[in-house]
Amino acid sequence: MTTQLDHARASFAARLAGFGDSPAIHVDGLTLTYRELAGRVEDLAARLGSERRLVALAASNDVDSLVAYLAALAGGHPLILLPEDKPAALASLVAAYDPDVVLQPAQGGLRLDERRPGSRHDLHPDLALLLSTSGSTGSPKLVRLSHANLQANAESIATYLGITGKDRAATTLPMSYCYGLSVINSHLLRGASLVLTGLSVVDPCFWELFRRQGATSFAAVPYTFELLERVGFADMELPSLRYVTQAGGRLDPDRVRHYADLGRRQGWDLFVMYGQTEATARMAYLPPHLAADHAGAIGVPVPGGSFRIDPVDGLDCSGPSQGELVYSGPNVMLGYAEAPDDLALGRTVTELRTGDLARVNDAGLYELLGRRSRFVKIVGLRVDLGQVERLLADMGVTAASTGSDRSIVVAIEGRHDTQLLAKVLAQGLGLPRAAVDLHAVDELPRLATGKIDYPAVAALPAAREAHPPREPSPASAPDSVRRIFEDTLERTGISGTDTFVSLGGDSLSFVAASVRLEQLLGHLPPDWHVTAVRDLEPKPQAAPDRKISLRQRLLAPVDTSIVLRAVGIVFIVSTHIGLFEWQGMAHVLIAAAGFNFARFQLAGQGVARLRRQLTSVARIVVPSMVFIAFAFLVTDRYSPLNIVLLNAILGPEQVTTQWHFWFIEVIVYILLAMTALLAIPWLQRGERRFPFLYPLALFGAGLLTRFELMDPDVPHTVPAFWLFALGWAVARARNLPQRCLVTALALLTVPGFFENPNRDLTVIAGILLLTWLPALPVPRAASRLTVLLASASMHIYLVHWLVYPPLANLGLPLAVGASLAAGVAYWAACNKATAALLRLRAGTRRS
């Protein structure tokens, strides 16, 4: 008799290889065909051996994890699948189930930890996969899935989505989560391909990848749609997008209608779906053409499945069409495992009692009414509120918990450190920290019967907003990524999914934030400015094992653009004063301005992006105009054109003191011009679709003035725009060929721009540093000074023209030092004034 295991071993790799040279995976500029993927799977399956063993895999959305998952299936090895970023969950389940092989991330790929040559477990022949329920982690209770479950669910999904070999799905969800895994299974079943990525939808790089690879779909949980609104998804041009799927919790009907209508206008479909891990991911879907009129429905059963509604004792579910939803189908799990002995069990359930209360509407569609037991779903993860209370009880804390699909609210009795408990609880449940809201109370609220008053617990957040607790003083508050962003961006209410860029960070606030982050984390993660707050927060469990080398004690990595700004302003001021001669740094800073414009001013879309860009320009214009107006009043060196920053356009062509502020004027002109260009819809779409080619086109246009092929009829400083565009292109160079190209362009176009070869070399060196080195080592003793000078560089440039003349006779070093100090003081005063205005505006709004 042929078992599911025999069938899997005989056909799995052959099915992959059967799609031949069709693309299977697109990742990091690499494309793997199905034949190549099958080869990798066969190689790893051979390493795992022919004897069945229990395998645990800590997976991320990368090629190694995907190959490991497929190899386990191909070899018939039951697999416990866990997220790579939750080592505590891996340790817990390894301790509970004692797998024979553990696969987890290591330098250069996955590390195969073969704990024994054979297996100590009795493994049922149908057992293929073990997943935590609804994506939760840390609990020994696992869902047992068979090869037939996986095949049936993948087939039904591929059928109702109409997946073909031409489809390309972007992996927006972890493969360790049953919903994310079902995307992989259904596409590989039909010979479609995967755009394999771990990038968030708030990262501009994700959408760059999406367009470049021609992705046709992505999967979303309810919170994903909030993130999509932050990045201006509605205004994006995504010509290859065919459909968006949604599951992982109830999506608000108004939002369903909004996105269904948006998809209809833009040519893609919205599939609202319903599922549980116990049904191998999905049980129902809402046909897209019904979404607008039946936005609250989960739809109809998936192909091959069926529903019935059973009455529930003690609940007001009158009528034959209301009660608990029960699902039957070939994708229903074998049963649960709560201990290693359960791995020998075959099928122990034949249908799935979902725990959801439901009804059938007049259109014959199923609608959910609520939960029969105390569960909530947050960012696609099912949370047992009773388990929350038990976890806290194990720590000696008496608590009551309630919640919604957004967060859990917990009342804890007595005096406890709520911040610490919330962090521990979030980690234990696998939830974002922002989704756990703890409140310390003297006594838990209770009804007259003595039972917990859960509505009173749910009302605690509103009560706290009405009577907020006194904030701790800055000196006593511990530093965190959220606090750093609050301080440097003057923002409150920062969530775990926010990023520095999505919060409106720019090149000015970037300096202060980056250094405090490096001090907090001990290193500066690459692309931290587009990384979610929750992913930046330090991992407490890693702290005790951290070893700091002598190099790390002496040197701190500082962002290259920050170092260039600090060094540049010192060289500029020293050259102007005459301490030494080193020209070219001003033009390096123009290239750095383009580099930072691309990093900070191109996130988001539409009005939100325009507002961010204009705000950034205002942070340059206002301090400049205020100081120049002061200089105009106390000296005779400047004119009203200087105050309004128009001297470079309307002022005299001969170089006089009125040209002192040319650098500020040119930067402002360029930023306003780029903001105006990107406000034009078709140019904005072009930049989003061709993020690297777009600045290269601007660079090419700028070369017309660089080589004097076109006379813009403006002073000679404005043609420096080509350097700004080149810096922009450097920021968009994501791979080796692109970096080589911008390097070649710098080497070909910079020489001869100045009459001084050393000046040319300075500009080339600055551009190459930006291109090839994301950070530079700076002595820790000098890192704070570096950051301070970079932060105040614009203000130093402004004030040094007034500071150094009366001090030059007392000594040039003194004049330089005084100029730097005065600029830092002006920068600090501007920051305090800005903060005061923001507090005043916030107070006005509240009143």
Side-chain angles (χ1 to χ4, degrees):
M1 179 178 176
T2 301
T3 66
Q4 293 181 25
L5 173 59
D6 296 329
H7 179 73
R9 281 179 160 167
S11 64
F12 196 86
R15 288 205 307 272
L16 289 176
F19 293 115
D21 294 325
S22 299
I25 302 171
H26 309 273
V27 58
D28 295 333
L30 169 72
T31 297
L32 281 181
T33 66
Y34 270 92
R35 195 184 314 279
E36 292 167 335
L37 177 61
R40 294 195 184 193
V41 169
E42 287 180 351
D43 290 343
L44 184 54
R47 290 181 62 194
L48 291 174
S50 58
E51 181 180 352
R52 294 185 79 210
R53 295 190 286 178
L54 181 63
V55 178
L57 169 63
S60 58
N61 286 0
D62 58 26
V63 174
D64 290 329
S65 296
L66 180 59
V67 168
Y69 163 68
L70 297 174
L73 292 185
H77 304 286
L79 180 68
I80 303 174
L81 192 58
L82 293 158
E84 175 269 335
D85 61 348
K86 293 189 170 54
L90 175 64
S92 173
L93 285 171
V94 166
Y97 283 91
D98 190 18
D100 306 306
V101 180
V102 177
L103 292 163
Q104 54 188 318
Q107 190 70 26
L110 286 177
R111 183 176 77 248
L112 193 155
D113 179 11
E114 197 166 14
R115 308 177 79 207
R116 58 184 63 89
S119 178
R120 66 174 296 272
H121 301 287
D122 184 5
L123 305 170
H124 192 276
D126 290 348
L127 182 62
L129 187 64
L130 294 147
L131 294 176
S132 296
T133 57
S134 293
S136 62
T137 58
S139 169
K141 185 177 182 179
L142 300 174
V143 171
R144 295 183 292 116
L145 299 174
S146 68
H147 292 278
N149 290 154
L150 297 173
Q151 176 75 20
N153 200 237
E155 183 65 50
S156 67
I157 293 168
T159 298
Y160 72 73
L161 292 180
I163 297 174
T164 71
K166 295 180 180 179
D167 280 303
R168 292 186 178 187
T171 56
T172 47
L173 300 172
M175 67 177 292
S176 55
Y177 173 31
C178 69
Y179 180 17
L181 188 64
S182 72
V183 174
I184 291 173
N185 291 338
S186 57
H187 281 73
L188 294 183
L189 180 71
R190 292 294 172 85
S193 55
L194 301 167
V195 181
L196 207 56
T197 177
L199 293 171
S200 166
V201 295
V202 300
D203 192 333
C205 300
F206 172 83
W207 298 108
E208 177 185 336
L209 177 68
F210 194 97
R211 297 184 191 94
R212 185 171 68 248
Q213 297 296 348
T216 59
S217 67
F218 65 89
V221 295
Y223 192 66
T224 307
F225 291 92
E226 294 184 27
L227 301 180
L228 292 176
E229 290 175 5
R230 293 185 192 178
V231 299
F233 174 76
D235 297 323
M236 290 185 184
E237 286 290 330
L238 303 170
S240 61
L241 180 61
R242 188 168 74 81
Y243 64 85
V244 175
T245 63
Q246 182 272 318
R250 183 176 183 269
L251 188 62
D252 183 79
D254 288 339
R255 191 160 280 176
V256 171
R257 281 186 283 269
H258 169 74
Y259 280 94
D261 181 63
L262 178 65
R264 179 185 55 77
R265 288 186 277 110
Q266 296 187 347
W268 50 266
D269 290 326
L270 174 68
F271 283 86
V272 174
M273 304 180 302
Y274 164 73
Q276 292 178 5
T277 309
E278 291 86 343
T280 327
R282 307 190 207 176
M283 294 179 281
Y285 74 100
L286 182 63
H289 68 279
L290 299 176
D293 293 332
H294 301 280
I298 61 170
V300 296
V302 299
S306 63
F307 285 128
R308 77 168 189 272
I309 294 179
D310 283 357
V312 177
D313 293 337
L315 292 178
D316 184 14
C317 292
S318 57
S321 62
Q322 298 185 27
E324 183 180 9
L325 190 64
V326 182
Y327 176 79
S328 299
N331 52 319
V332 172
M333 66 175 177
L334 298 174
Y336 290 112
E338 299 189 62
D341 290 347
D342 295 336
L343 305 180
L345 299 176
R347 180 169 292 281
T348 57
V349 298
T350 56
E351 60 184 15
L352 179 60
R353 305 195 71 85
T354 66
D356 287 317
L357 303 177
R359 68 183 177 192
V360 179
N361 67 18
D362 293 340
L365 303 174
Y366 288 85
E367 295 179 346
L368 299 185
L369 304 175
R371 290 292 300 168
R372 181 174 180 173
S373 58
R374 296 182 63 238
F375 286 88
V376 293
K377 264 195 174 181
I378 301 172
V379 293
L381 306 180
R382 187 168 64 181
V383 179
D384 180 352
L385 296 175
Q387 184 192 12
V388 173
E389 296 173 2
R390 289 191 296 273
L391 285 172
L392 290 168
D394 290 340
M395 292 185 275
V397 179
T398 302
S401 66
T402 184
S404 65
D405 284 350
R406 289 181 176 272
S407 65
I408 60 170
V409 179
V410 185
I412 57 175
E413 197 170 77
R415 294 181 177 274
H416 296 280
D417 185 340
T418 56
Q419 295 296 323
L420 177 61
L421 285 175
K423 184 179 293 186
V424 172
L425 193 59
Q427 290 175 345
L429 297 171
L431 291 176
R433 169 62 185 84
V436 179
D437 188 7
L438 261 65
H439 300 260
V441 296
D442 293 333
E443 293 183 351
L444 295 181
R446 297 184 182 275
L447 301 171
T449 59
K451 294 182 179 179
I452 297 293
D453 184 354
Y454 284 105
V457 174
L460 288 174
R464 183 168 61 185
E465 288 182 8
H467 303 285
R470 187 174 180 178
E471 291 291 332
S473 65
S476 63
D479 220 353
S480 67
V481 174
R482 185 177 278 104
R483 179 170 176 77
I484 290 170
F485 285 5
E486 287 174 348
D487 292 346
T488 56
L489 299 175
E490 296 290 343
R491 295 286 296 268
T492 58
I494 294 176
S495 75
T497 56
D498 286 325
T499 70
F500 179 80
V501 170
S502 72
L503 292 167
D506 59 15
S507 60
L508 298 177
S509 49
F510 173 81
V511 178
S514 65
V515 174
R516 286 183 59 184
L517 274 178
E518 196 276 333
Q519 293 169 349
L520 174 68
L521 304 177
H523 67 290
L524 200 60
D527 292 331
W528 67 264
H529 56 293
V530 289
T531 301
V533 168
R534 67 185 179 199
D535 296 329
L536 283 174
E537 291 288 5
K539 306 297 186 290
Q541 65 271 20
D545 300 327
R546 187 179 165 211
K547 295 182 180 179
I548 301 176
S549 66
L550 179 61
R551 173 184 169 87
Q552 288 174 316
R553 291 192 185 99
L554 297 178
L555 299 174
V558 179
D559 184 88
T560 299
S561 68
I562 293 176
V563 177
L564 289 177
R565 285 167 63 180
V567 173
I569 195 60
V570 172
F571 280 27
I572 289 169
V573 170
S574 298
T575 298
H576 289 167
I577 294 175
L579 182 63
F580 57 77
E581 180 81 11
W582 196 305
Q583 296 184 340
M585 289 305 298
H587 288 80
V588 170
L589 296 187
I590 289 177
F595 180 82
N596 285 323
F597 179 81
R599 288 204 292 177
F600 305 118
Q601 301 305 318
L602 298 180
Q605 308 294 336
V607 175
R609 181 159 81 172
L610 178 62
R611 186 183 299 114
R612 179 184 295 120
Q613 291 167 346
L614 292 176
T615 299
S616 182
V617 173
R619 295 182 68 182
I620 299 173
V621 169
V622 174
S624 299
M625 292 179 66
V626 169
F627 180 80
I628 297 171
F630 171 76
F632 171 75
L633 292 174
V634 300
T635 73
D636 58 357
R637 302 175 198 167
Y638 308 113
S639 75
L641 290 177
N642 289 118
I643 298 174
V644 293
L645 304 179
L646 289 176
N647 182 75
I649 296 177
L650 303 177
E653 292 196 15
Q654 66 273 21
V655 177
T656 68
T657 56
Q658 294 178 27
W659 277 90
H660 282 172
F661 307 107
W662 72 266
F663 178 82
I664 302 290
E665 293 175 345
V666 168
I667 291 293
V668 169
Y669 299 163
I670 292 174
L671 292 177
L672 287 176
M674 294 303 96
T675 299
L677 277 180
L678 292 171
I680 301 172
W682 65 273
L683 286 176
Q684 188 179 110
R685 290 193 295 269
E687 186 278 325
R688 291 199 302 269
R689 189 165 186 181
F690 305 105
F692 181 63
L693 294 178
Y694 189 92
L696 287 184
L698 294 175
F699 171 74
L703 291 181
L704 296 177
T705 59
R706 152 69 183 94
F707 290 107
E708 299 180 355
L709 300 176
M710 183 182 74
D711 183 6
D713 196 27
V714 292
H716 68 279
T717 54
V718 175
F721 166 71
W722 64 280
L723 287 171
F724 180 93
L726 186 57
W728 182 342
V730 167
R732 291 308 202 194
R734 296 290 181 182
N735 51 45
L736 181 61
Q738 291 176 346
R739 291 190 179 96
C740 289
L741 176 59
V742 294
T743 298
L745 291 175
L747 294 174
L748 290 171
T749 58
V750 173
F753 183 58
F754 306 102
E755 296 179 359
N756 183 345
N758 291 333
R759 200 171 179 182
D760 291 337
L761 289 174
T762 296
V763 175
I764 290 173
I767 293 172
L768 294 187
L769 286 173
L770 284 174
T771 304
W772 295 102
L773 295 175
L776 294 172
V778 173
R780 285 196 178 272
S783 62
R784 286 182 177 272
L785 179 61
T786 301
V787 172
L788 196 60
L789 293 175
S791 301
S793 56
M794 181 192 75
H795 303 76
I796 294 171
Y797 183 88
L798 285 167
V799 306
H800 86 284
W801 294 112
L802 262 63
V803 172
Y804 83 81
L807 298 175
N809 292 333
L810 300 177
L812 298 182
L814 174 63
V816 171
S819 296
L820 298 178
V824 170
Y826 183 50
W827 164 77
C830 290
N831 284 346
K832 287 185 177 180
T834 301
L837 287 173
L838 289 172
R839 287 194 297 269
L840 179 62
R841 186 172 68 175
T844 303
R845 286 179 177 175
R846 285 195 295 268
S847 61

